[in-house]
Amino acid sequence: MTRRRLLDGLLAATVAILSWQVLVWITGVPPFILPGPLRVAETLVDNAGLILDHATITVAEVLIGLVLGALFGAMTALHLMISPLARRLVLPVMVFSQAIPVFALAPILTLWFGYGMASKIVMALLIIYFPVVSTFYDGLRRTDPGLLDLAQTMGARPRRTLFFLRLPAALPAFGSGLRLAAVYAPIGAVIGEWVGASRGLGYLMLLANGRAKTDLMFAAMFVLAAFAVVLYAAVSVVTRRMVRWSDETVEATPRP
Protein backbone atom coordinates (compact mmCIF):
# COMPACT_ATOMS: atom_id res chain seq x y z
CA MET A 1 0.00 0.00 0.00
CA THR A 2 2.87 2.37 0.85
CA ARG A 3 4.57 1.61 -2.48
CA ARG A 4 1.32 2.28 -4.33
CA ARG A 5 0.96 5.65 -2.60
CA LEU A 6 4.57 6.50 -3.44
CA LEU A 7 4.02 5.67 -7.10
CA ASP A 8 0.79 7.70 -7.16
CA GLY A 9 2.61 10.65 -5.61
CA LEU A 10 5.46 10.46 -8.12
CA LEU A 11 2.96 10.23 -10.98
CA ALA A 12 1.05 13.27 -9.73
CA ALA A 13 4.29 15.26 -9.31
CA THR A 14 5.45 14.30 -12.80
CA VAL A 15 2.15 15.37 -14.36
CA ALA A 16 2.26 18.70 -12.47
CA ILE A 17 5.84 19.44 -13.55
CA LEU A 18 5.15 18.55 -17.19
CA SER A 19 2.03 20.72 -17.18
CA TRP A 20 4.04 23.57 -15.70
CA GLN A 21 6.71 23.27 -18.41
CA VAL A 22 4.11 23.08 -21.18
CA LEU A 23 2.36 26.17 -19.78
CA VAL A 24 5.64 28.12 -19.87
CA TRP A 25 6.34 27.02 -23.45
CA ILE A 26 2.84 27.86 -24.70
CA THR A 27 2.42 31.24 -23.00
CA GLY A 28 6.04 32.40 -23.40
CA VAL A 29 5.87 34.02 -19.97
CA PRO A 30 9.13 35.79 -19.01
CA PRO A 31 11.40 33.76 -16.68
CA PHE A 32 11.43 36.52 -14.06
CA ILE A 33 7.67 36.04 -13.66
CA LEU A 34 7.40 32.26 -13.99
CA PRO A 35 10.51 30.21 -14.74
CA GLY A 36 10.03 26.74 -16.14
CA PRO A 37 10.97 23.63 -14.17
CA LEU A 38 13.99 23.05 -16.43
CA ARG A 39 15.34 26.50 -15.60
CA VAL A 40 14.63 25.95 -11.90
CA ALA A 41 16.46 22.61 -12.01
CA GLU A 42 19.44 24.26 -13.67
CA THR A 43 19.48 26.98 -11.03
CA LEU A 44 19.23 24.36 -8.31
CA VAL A 45 22.30 22.56 -9.64
CA ASP A 46 24.30 25.76 -10.20
CA ASN A 47 23.53 27.09 -6.71
CA ALA A 48 23.52 23.79 -4.84
CA GLY A 49 26.15 24.91 -2.33
CA LEU A 50 24.36 28.17 -1.52
CA ILE A 51 20.97 26.49 -1.17
CA LEU A 52 22.40 23.68 0.96
CA ASP A 53 24.04 26.19 3.29
CA HIS A 54 20.73 27.97 3.91
CA ALA A 55 18.73 24.71 3.98
CA THR A 56 20.88 23.38 6.82
CA ILE A 57 19.76 26.25 9.04
CA THR A 58 16.08 25.82 8.20
CA VAL A 59 16.22 22.05 8.71
CA ALA A 60 17.83 22.50 12.13
CA GLU A 61 15.18 25.05 13.14
CA VAL A 62 12.35 22.78 12.01
CA LEU A 63 13.67 19.63 13.66
CA ILE A 64 14.42 21.32 17.00
CA GLY A 65 11.05 23.07 16.95
CA LEU A 66 9.29 19.80 16.08
CA VAL A 67 10.95 17.87 18.90
CA LEU A 68 10.33 20.60 21.49
CA GLY A 69 6.76 21.18 20.31
CA ALA A 70 5.94 17.48 20.47
CA LEU A 71 7.55 17.16 23.91
CA PHE A 72 5.85 20.18 25.45
CA GLY A 73 2.57 19.32 23.75
CA ALA A 74 2.59 15.76 25.11
CA MET A 75 3.49 16.96 28.61
CA THR A 76 0.68 19.53 28.53
CA ALA A 77 -1.89 16.96 27.37
CA LEU A 78 -0.87 14.56 30.16
CA HIS A 79 -1.05 17.36 32.72
CA LEU A 80 -4.50 18.35 31.49
CA MET A 81 -5.63 14.77 31.89
CA ILE A 82 -4.25 14.53 35.43
CA SER A 83 -5.24 17.91 36.83
CA PRO A 84 -8.83 19.26 36.82
CA LEU A 85 -7.42 22.64 37.86
CA ALA A 86 -5.22 22.71 34.75
CA ARG A 87 -8.24 21.91 32.59
CA ARG A 88 -10.14 24.85 34.06
CA LEU A 89 -7.26 27.31 33.77
CA VAL A 90 -5.15 26.20 30.80
CA LEU A 91 -7.74 25.01 28.28
CA PRO A 92 -9.52 28.41 27.98
CA VAL A 93 -6.18 30.16 27.56
CA MET A 94 -5.14 27.72 24.83
CA VAL A 95 -8.41 28.18 22.97
CA PHE A 96 -8.12 31.97 23.26
CA SER A 97 -4.53 31.87 21.99
CA GLN A 98 -5.71 30.33 18.73
CA ALA A 99 -7.63 33.55 18.00
CA ILE A 100 -4.26 35.32 17.67
CA PRO A 101 -2.72 34.79 14.21
CA VAL A 102 0.60 33.06 14.67
CA PHE A 103 2.01 35.16 11.82
CA ALA A 104 1.42 38.29 13.90
CA LEU A 105 3.66 36.90 16.64
CA ALA A 106 6.71 36.58 14.38
CA PRO A 107 7.85 40.23 14.72
CA ILE A 108 7.43 40.05 18.49
CA LEU A 109 9.39 36.80 18.74
CA THR A 110 12.14 38.29 16.58
CA LEU A 111 12.28 41.29 18.91
CA TRP A 112 12.46 39.07 22.00
CA PHE A 113 14.75 36.29 20.76
CA GLY A 114 16.76 38.07 18.08
CA TYR A 115 17.49 37.33 14.44
CA GLY A 116 19.17 33.97 15.10
CA MET A 117 17.73 30.47 15.23
CA ALA A 118 16.02 30.90 18.60
CA SER A 119 13.10 33.00 17.32
CA LYS A 120 12.48 30.60 14.42
CA ILE A 121 12.55 27.57 16.72
CA VAL A 122 10.03 29.22 19.03
CA MET A 123 7.87 30.11 16.04
CA ALA A 124 7.87 26.51 14.83
CA LEU A 125 7.17 25.31 18.36
CA LEU A 126 4.17 27.60 18.79
CA ILE A 127 2.60 26.73 15.45
CA ILE A 128 2.62 22.98 16.20
CA TYR A 129 2.00 23.11 19.95
CA PHE A 130 -1.80 23.37 19.86
CA PRO A 131 -2.38 20.57 17.28
CA VAL A 132 -0.23 18.18 19.32
CA VAL A 133 -1.94 19.07 22.60
CA SER A 134 -5.47 18.93 21.20
CA THR A 135 -5.09 15.60 19.36
CA PHE A 136 -3.20 13.85 22.17
CA TYR A 137 -5.57 15.14 24.87
CA ASP A 138 -8.57 14.06 22.83
CA GLY A 139 -7.01 10.60 22.42
CA LEU A 140 -6.43 10.32 26.17
CA ARG A 141 -10.08 11.14 26.83
CA ARG A 142 -11.43 8.63 24.28
CA THR A 143 -10.01 5.44 25.77
CA ASP A 144 -12.29 2.41 25.45
CA PRO A 145 -14.71 2.59 28.42
CA GLY A 146 -14.67 -1.20 28.70
CA LEU A 147 -10.94 -1.18 29.34
CA LEU A 148 -11.32 1.60 31.90
CA ASP A 149 -14.05 -0.34 33.71
CA LEU A 150 -11.86 -3.43 33.73
CA ALA A 151 -8.93 -1.48 35.16
CA GLN A 152 -11.16 0.01 37.87
CA THR A 153 -12.55 -3.42 38.71
CA MET A 154 -9.02 -4.74 39.14
CA GLY A 155 -8.20 -1.84 41.45
CA ALA A 156 -5.74 -0.01 39.21
CA ARG A 157 -4.77 3.43 40.48
CA PRO A 158 -5.66 6.47 38.33
CA ARG A 159 -2.05 7.27 37.43
CA ARG A 160 -1.33 3.66 36.49
CA THR A 161 -4.48 3.66 34.38
CA LEU A 162 -3.28 6.85 32.69
CA PHE A 163 0.24 5.68 31.87
CA PHE A 164 -0.44 1.99 31.18
CA LEU A 165 -3.87 2.19 29.53
CA ARG A 166 -4.89 5.67 28.40
CA LEU A 167 -1.46 6.67 27.09
CA PRO A 168 -0.89 3.61 24.85
CA ALA A 169 -4.46 3.84 23.56
CA ALA A 170 -3.94 7.55 22.73
CA LEU A 171 -0.76 7.01 20.70
CA PRO A 172 -2.64 6.88 17.36
CA ALA A 173 -4.14 10.30 18.13
CA PHE A 174 -0.71 11.55 19.18
CA GLY A 175 0.64 10.26 15.87
CA SER A 176 -1.99 12.28 14.00
CA GLY A 177 -0.84 15.37 15.87
CA LEU A 178 2.77 14.65 14.97
CA ARG A 179 1.89 14.32 11.29
CA LEU A 180 0.18 17.71 11.42
CA ALA A 181 3.22 19.10 13.22
CA ALA A 182 5.51 17.79 10.48
CA VAL A 183 3.54 19.84 7.95
CA TYR A 184 3.23 23.01 10.04
CA ALA A 185 6.75 23.18 11.49
CA PRO A 186 8.46 24.25 8.21
CA ILE A 187 5.81 26.94 7.79
CA GLY A 188 6.59 28.40 11.21
CA ALA A 189 10.34 28.42 10.63
CA VAL A 190 10.07 30.07 7.21
CA ILE A 191 7.66 32.73 8.45
CA GLY A 192 10.15 33.57 11.16
CA GLU A 193 12.90 33.84 8.54
CA TRP A 194 10.75 36.12 6.41
CA VAL A 195 10.27 38.53 9.32
CA GLY A 196 13.91 38.71 10.33
CA ALA A 197 16.89 36.50 9.57
CA SER A 198 20.29 36.48 7.96
CA ARG A 199 20.28 32.80 6.91
CA GLY A 200 17.77 30.11 6.00
CA LEU A 201 15.62 29.17 3.02
CA GLY A 202 13.04 31.82 3.90
CA TYR A 203 15.74 34.49 3.93
CA LEU A 204 17.13 33.18 0.64
CA MET A 205 13.68 33.34 -0.95
CA LEU A 206 13.24 36.97 0.11
CA LEU A 207 16.73 37.83 -1.10
CA ALA A 208 16.14 36.18 -4.47
CA ASN A 209 12.75 37.88 -4.83
CA GLY A 210 14.25 41.30 -4.11
CA ARG A 211 16.86 40.73 -6.83
CA ALA A 212 14.29 39.41 -9.33
CA LYS A 213 15.94 35.97 -9.30
CA THR A 214 12.67 34.10 -9.47
CA ASP A 215 14.34 30.88 -10.55
CA LEU A 216 16.46 30.87 -7.37
CA MET A 217 13.36 31.59 -5.28
CA PHE A 218 11.56 28.63 -6.88
CA ALA A 219 14.60 26.41 -6.33
CA ALA A 220 14.69 27.27 -2.61
CA MET A 221 10.93 26.70 -2.39
CA PHE A 222 11.30 23.31 -4.09
CA VAL A 223 13.97 22.25 -1.58
CA LEU A 224 11.73 23.35 1.28
CA ALA A 225 8.77 21.40 -0.13
CA ALA A 226 10.91 18.31 -0.66
CA PHE A 227 12.14 18.49 2.92
CA ALA A 228 8.56 18.84 4.21
CA VAL A 229 7.52 15.73 2.25
CA VAL A 230 10.47 13.71 3.57
CA LEU A 231 9.79 14.89 7.13
CA TYR A 232 6.12 13.94 6.84
CA ALA A 233 7.04 10.51 5.49
CA ALA A 234 9.55 9.93 8.31
CA VAL A 235 7.03 10.94 10.97
CA SER A 236 4.43 8.69 9.35
CA VAL A 237 6.79 5.72 9.62
CA VAL A 238 7.44 6.47 13.29
CA THR A 239 3.74 6.89 14.07
CA ARG A 240 2.84 3.60 12.38
CA ARG A 241 5.31 1.83 14.64
CA MET A 242 3.81 3.65 17.63
CA VAL A 243 0.35 2.45 16.68
CA ARG A 244 1.52 -1.17 16.41
CA TRP A 245 3.20 -0.88 19.81
CA SER A 246 0.09 0.69 21.35
CA ASP A 247 -2.13 -2.11 20.02
CA GLU A 248 0.12 -4.66 21.68
CA THR A 249 0.29 -2.68 24.92
CA VAL A 250 -3.43 -2.04 25.32
CA GLU A 251 -4.07 -5.79 25.17
CA ALA A 252 -2.23 -6.14 28.49
CA THR A 253 -4.44 -5.70 31.54
CA PRO A 254 -3.19 -3.12 34.09
CA ARG A 255 -2.40 -4.66 37.43
CA PRO A 256 -3.40 -3.09 40.74
Side-chain angles (χ1 to χ4, degrees):
M1 187 66 178
T2 302
R3 183 178 299 178
R4 175 63 181 274
R5 289 181 179 178
L6 178 61
L7 292 176
D8 290 344
L10 290 176
L11 178 60
T14 302
V15 171
I17 291 174
L18 290 177
S19 301
W20 175 13
Q21 185 64 58
V22 171
L23 176 65
V24 171
W25 282 337
I26 293 176
T27 60
V29 61
F32 68 89
I33 294 180
L34 180 63
L38 294 178
R39 187 183 182 94
V40 172
E42 181 181 355
T43 302
L44 180 60
V45 173
D46 293 341
N47 298 271
L50 175 66
I51 295 175
L52 179 62
D53 181 58
H54 287 279
T56 302
I57 301 300
T58 302
V59 168
E61 294 167 352
V62 171
L63 293 180
I64 296 174
L66 179 62
V67 171
L68 293 179
L71 179 61
F72 288 131
M75 292 173 59
T76 302
L78 288 172
H79 188 58
L80 290 174
M81 197 66 209
I82 293 173
S83 173
L85 179 61
R87 290 196 292 270
R88 291 197 300 269
L89 298 180
V90 177
L91 275 179
V93 175
M94 290 183 58
V95 173
F96 173 77
S97 68
Q98 297 308 297
I100 304 175
V102 181
F103 311 129
L105 297 177
I108 300 176
L109 295 177
T110 302
L111 177 65
W112 288 350
F113 297 98
Y115 284 81
M117 292 179 59
S119 58
K120 287 69 182 176
I121 292 173
V122 174
M123 187 69 184
L125 188 156
L126 289 178
I127 205 171
I128 69 177
Y129 176 75
F130 184 79
V132 173
V133 174
S134 61
T135 54
F136 192 29
Y137 177 61
D138 188 59
L140 291 171
R141 293 174 57 234
R142 294 180 180 274
T143 307
D144 187 354
L147 294 176
L148 295 177
D149 292 340
L150 178 61
Q152 185 176 7
T153 301
M154 298 182 66
R157 297 177 181 178
R159 288 183 181 267
R160 290 183 63 86
T161 301
L162 173 64
F163 287 103
F164 292 98
L165 188 59
R166 287 186 181 273
L167 193 152
L171 286 181
F174 181 55
S176 298
L178 288 181
R179 286 192 292 271
L180 289 175
V183 175
Y184 292 152
I187 298 174
V190 170
I191 290 174
E193 292 172 353
W194 284 346
V195 173
S198 58
R199 295 180 68 187
L201 289 176
Y203 167 78
L204 181 61
M205 291 169 64
L206 282 181
L207 185 65
N209 184 53
R211 298 181 178 180
K213 295 183 177 181
T214 314
D215 50 354
L216 180 58
M217 184 177 64
F218 270 81
M221 186 169 57
F222 173 79
V223 171
L224 179 66
F227 166 66
V229 171
V230 172
L231 181 61
Y232 179 85
V235 171
S236 297
V237 171
V238 173
T239 54
R240 281 197 296 270
R241 294 182 178 179
M242 288 169 50
V243 170
R244 285 200 298 266
W245 179 82
S246 67
D247 291 340
E248 295 173 359
T249 305
V250 171
E251 291 177 359
T253 303
R255 298 179 180 178

